[in-house]
Amino acid sequence: MQGLLYQEESFGVFLLVTALLGGAGAWVSGRAIARTWRPRWTVVLYMLVLGLAVRFVHFALFEGTLLSPWYYAVDTAILITVGLLGFRTTRQRQMARQYGFLIAPGGAP
């Protein structure tokens, strides 16, 4: 499994940088995009940039590969997934609050 998804010495580094730090950034970015009522595809554009930042952190702090298309794709796929989850949960809350009367039992007040 090592080498297919991550190239670092330990899986913990991959979890720390990509899943924890990058995932937290992706989650709050997805929420911020949803709060400003931007379209869903905007999340993907921002996560492509965040994927570059995550690759740089791997390179700068843990001597990982900077210009590796495979590892960039893996990191970015994880970030896009987490970013879209943050977007979806926030958008669901927004729609329920804004248009709650449409789903309320008994119809419109």
Side-chain angles (χ1 to χ4, degrees), residues 27 30-31 43 79-91:
W27 181 266
R31 289 185 60 202
V43 175
L79 297 176
I80 288 172
T81 303
V82 174
L84 287 174
L85 285 172
F87 180 89
R88 180 183 166 131
T89 57
T90 303
R91 184 56 56 93

Side-chain angles (χ1 to χ4, degrees), residues 4-18:
L4 183 61
L5 293 179
Y6 62 97
Q7 85 279 2
E8 284 80 22
E9 293 296 321
S10 71
F11 188 64
V13 172
F14 173 76
L15 287 177
L16 173 71
V17 176
T18 301

Side-chain angles (χ1 to χ4, degrees), residues 19-76:
L20 188 65
L21 297 177
W27 181 266
V28 296
S29 295
R31 289 185 60 202
I33 293 167
R35 285 184 178 180
T36 56
W37 292 95
R38 293 184 189 154
R40 181 178 307 204
W41 59 266
T42 314
V43 175
V44 176
L45 291 179
Y46 287 138
M47 294 309 108
L48 292 173
V49 176
L50 186 60
L52 291 173
V54 167
R55 283 297 342 136
F56 180 74
V57 171
H58 278 289
F59 169 73
L61 297 181
F62 302 104
E63 299 177 2
T65 308
L66 178 62
L67 300 175
S68 171
W70 174 254
Y71 296 127
Y72 171 72
V74 169
D75 290 343
T76 305

